[in-house]
Amino acid sequence: MQLTRSLPVDALPVAPETAAPSRNLYFALLDTPISETVRASAADYLNSQLEAASACPCDLPQDPAGLGEWLDGHTAKIGGQYQTYLDGRRAGAPRRYFSSKAHALHFLQGVAPTKLVDGAWLYGLLQRWDDARFTALIQTYLEELGEGQPEKNHVVLYRKLLASQGCDDWQNLNDENFVQGAIQLALAEHAEQFLPEVIGFNLGYEQLPLHLLISSYELTELGIDPYYFTLHVTVDNADNGHAKKAVQALMAAWPQVGDSEEFYRRVINGYRLNDLGASTLSVIAGFDPEQEVLRVLEKKAAVGQFVHSDYCRFDGRTVNQWLAKPELIPQFLDNLQRRNWIKRHEDPQNSRFWQLITGEQGPMFGVFSAHEQQLIHDWIAGDWLAEQVPTHGKPHPVLAQRQAQFSGRRRTLAEQPTRPALAQPQGQPVSDFDQETQLLEQQLAQLPTREARIRHLLPLLAPTRHHSAAGLLATRIFTGLFN
Ligand SMILES: [Fe+2]
């Protein structure tokens, strides 16, 4: 089999400023403090995305009075679709989303730029903490932040999930993977000028999607902790969760004097922003195991970290010579298959190449990360994987064991009361680990009013900072002062 490959679009030479506008803005908005130039770019970016979004279809009712019914209808439809999925799986249908664990890891990594700023679009509303119209949305934001409990903070959870699966190398994904994150961070900066759009975006984002239910089910089967996703199934519910709060928030902000038609038009356009850039489904559909394996080999070759022994030649070239030229890598993989060093669609243990990269005595042991090994493993295994006994929603044995430990730990953590103010016993030095939180408490103690304390805390609740130790403490204190 001859492998062919074309250069990925994002590898083509283009001017840096136009190469990745969403990715550039995303990282610029993660810098603190944010410069005025970046803030202005964020507003321009939002305007151009809103223009693009205006062409997208929209299923919201023409009359906002119908939003309650719309919400119930959406929930019933998703419930029915999920039931159909479950019936199919129980009758023996294969997984709908993830052909392999490597496929699932590709998804976790591909949506990382969005998940790592979870909730950001609501941050700008915190400035209006004393305006009752925004209470529901601020509560939603605080819940995204786990009210400062690290084991419930969505960004902390996603970071841990990525780290546990070795998928935290997401910074160079394609530009479209950064569109949603850039929109969310831009909305965080510009709530004052884009309030109806924030409300509309929130309405779309907080609806329970079918993909959340299916991903949770399939991640469990593959031995990946689905807690981040199952958590959202409960918080996004239509009964009393974020989905319902999103509708209540829209009604609470409805203009009493101004142009309500224009307000709702802008809400609808904000809602449509959810459709731009890479989505859960497009990331899942975009997985091509062979392309990913080639990408990994290219990356290793580029850092010169591959094999050093030259005794093994394929068609007259050493492994290092094959890898030195990216265009030769597909041919190299092809050679490995023809010589039976890689036996596709079989247990990878039968492949000499697999032994070389995983065997402790192998010349390539340790060269590939766990994530990369999973990718190579699942690519070699191919159709053989599908022949393995499916688990149909049951946790993978490894996960079942780990989940028992996790849920015990989560319960213990959840039962712990919020850590009180760090009263340092007199005369004892403050640990370096606690310097930040101790200092924050000292600063707050010197402020005369609740309002002054809230104002002091707000910057620490920003999307870039709320998941740090000081940010989590600030969120816990803010939550106490706000409620
Ligand atoms: Fe979330």
Side-chain angles (χ1 to χ4, degrees):
M1 181 182 61
Q2 183 64 48
L3 303 172
T4 53
R5 182 170 194 236
S6 57
L7 208 56
V9 174
D10 66 341
L12 296 170
V14 272
E17 65 276 12
T18 55
S22 303
R23 188 168 58 199
N24 290 345
L25 180 65
Y26 181 92
F27 286 113
L29 287 168
L30 289 181
D31 263 351
T32 38
I34 296 170
S35 72
E36 277 310 310
T37 318
V38 172
R39 271 176 56 79
S41 315
D44 292 344
Y45 182 80
L46 277 178
N47 280 321
S48 66
Q49 295 298 329
L50 283 163
E51 201 177 320
S54 65
C56 297
C58 177
D59 65 341
L60 287 177
Q62 294 260 316
D63 181 354
L67 278 168
E69 207 177 310
W70 167 83
L71 181 59
D72 293 342
H74 173 82
T75 311
K77 189 178 85 179
I78 298 301
Q81 288 174 337
Y82 185 51
Q83 200 51 53
T84 306
Y85 166 82
L86 289 177
D87 292 345
R89 292 302 311 280
R90 286 186 196 117
R95 281 189 294 273
R96 187 182 293 181
Y97 285 175
F98 307 127
S99 55
S100 63
K101 184 171 180 183
H103 195 171
L105 298 182
H106 172 85
F107 156 69
L108 293 182
Q109 190 176 44
V111 297
T114 313
K115 305 296 185 192
L116 292 173
V117 295
D118 202 0
W121 63 95
L122 292 172
Y123 172 64
L125 297 176
L126 264 63
Q127 298 294 337
R128 302 288 165 149
W129 56 272
D130 55 352
D131 187 332
R133 287 178 296 170
F134 306 117
T135 303
L137 292 177
I138 293 175
Q139 276 168 349
T140 299
Y141 187 68
L142 293 175
E143 284 166 21
E144 294 287 337
L145 272 50
E147 297 185 336
Q149 308 286 345
E151 68 279 4
K152 289 187 190 157
N153 178 295
H154 296 188
V155 174
V156 171
L157 287 170
Y158 207 80
R159 283 160 74 104
K160 283 189 173 171
L161 176 63
L162 289 178
S164 72
Q165 298 297 332
C167 298
D168 31 18
D169 179 19
W170 51 270
Q171 292 78 359
N172 293 313
L173 290 167
N174 291 341
D175 197 56
E176 63 175 23
N177 295 66
F178 289 87
V179 170
Q180 279 296 313
I183 287 173
Q184 294 177 16
L185 290 169
L187 288 173
E189 274 304 303
H190 287 296
E192 300 283 331
Q193 272 75 48
F194 292 89
L195 180 59
E197 288 82 1
V198 167
I199 291 170
F201 182 81
N202 183 68
L203 183 63
Y205 199 93
E206 295 291 2
Q207 297 310 312
L208 178 64
L210 179 65
H211 62 70
L212 194 61
L213 297 164
I214 297 180
S215 335
S216 304
Y217 190 91
E218 298 193 358
L219 289 173
T220 307
E221 285 183 347
L222 290 162
I224 298 170
D225 186 355
Y227 182 57
Y228 174 87
F229 297 90
T230 51
L231 177 74
H232 283 84
V233 174
T234 44
V235 299
D236 292 350
N237 77 74
D239 184 34
N240 57 4
H242 293 179
K244 186 144 190 187
K245 280 200 176 93
V247 174
Q248 288 167 345
L250 187 152
M251 299 324 289
W254 194 259
Q256 301 302 309
V257 184
D259 183 345
S260 55
E261 241 172 67
E262 171 65 1
F263 173 81
Y264 194 48
R265 188 196 65 74
R266 289 178 59 188
V267 166
I268 288 174
N269 234 6
Y271 176 88
R272 288 175 167 136
L273 284 175
N274 282 284
D275 292 335
L276 302 179
S279 67
T280 289
L281 295 183
S282 73
V283 169
I284 291 171
F287 179 65
D288 178 338
E290 200 156 283
Q291 292 290 319
E292 294 300 325
V293 167
L294 289 168
R295 201 188 288 262
V296 165
L297 292 177
E298 251 181 45
K299 200 171 77 178
K300 295 293 162 190
V303 294
Q305 203 195 347
F306 218 88
V307 227
H308 299 297
S309 87
D310 280 353
Y311 74 94
C312 182
R313 286 173 180 266
F314 294 87
D315 283 355
R317 289 191 175 98
T318 67
V319 173
N320 279 337
Q321 282 168 341
W322 277 110
L323 295 171
K325 293 184 179 167
E327 65 276 15
L328 292 180
I329 294 177
Q331 203 184 328
F332 174 59
L333 268 192
D334 195 37
N335 264 330
L336 286 170
Q337 289 176 73
R338 279 195 287 105
R339 293 189 167 214
N340 279 331
W341 280 52
I342 289 177
K343 296 178 180 171
R344 295 284 318 279
H345 310 297
E346 285 184 29
D347 182 346
Q349 297 298 338
N350 301 339
S351 288
R352 194 168 171 194
F353 182 72
W354 178 249
Q355 305 286 354
L356 287 179
I357 64 174
T358 54
E360 284 190 27
Q361 306 301 322
M364 290 184 258
F365 178 72
V367 167
F368 295 96
S369 71
H371 181 197
E372 291 162 346
Q373 284 187 26
Q374 187 74 50
L375 190 59
I376 294 168
H377 175 278
D378 292 354
W379 171 71
I380 294 175
D383 298 342
W384 177 81
L385 279 180
E387 291 158 18
Q388 305 312 297
V389 183
T391 54
H392 294 314
K394 291 200 190 77
H396 187 280
V398 176
L399 184 64
Q401 196 184 8
R402 227 182 309 143
Q403 271 181 336
Q405 294 164 357
F406 276 156
S407 53
R409 189 165 53 100
R410 277 189 194 121
R411 250 196 317 278
T412 321
L413 288 167
E415 280 159 11
Q416 284 170 359
T418 302
R419 208 169 159 203
L422 298 172
Q424 194 67 27
Q426 281 206 336
Q428 283 197 21
V430 180
S431 146
D432 285 349
F433 293 106
D434 295 332
Q435 287 278 0
E436 287 258 291
T437 44
Q438 179 89 358
L439 185 60
L440 176 61
E441 281 171 345
Q442 284 169 1
Q443 291 169 349
L444 288 172
Q446 286 163 11
L447 294 171
T449 62
R450 169 174 172 261
E451 182 177 349
R453 286 193 281 276
I454 285 182
R455 293 262 159 239
H456 188 75
L457 291 169
L458 286 182
L460 286 165
L461 271 69
T464 44
R465 303 171 83 184
H466 67 74
H467 40 90
S468 65
L472 289 162
L473 175 64
T475 310
R476 294 198 292 274
I477 300 172
F478 181 92
T479 304
L481 292 170
F482 179 69
N483 289 320

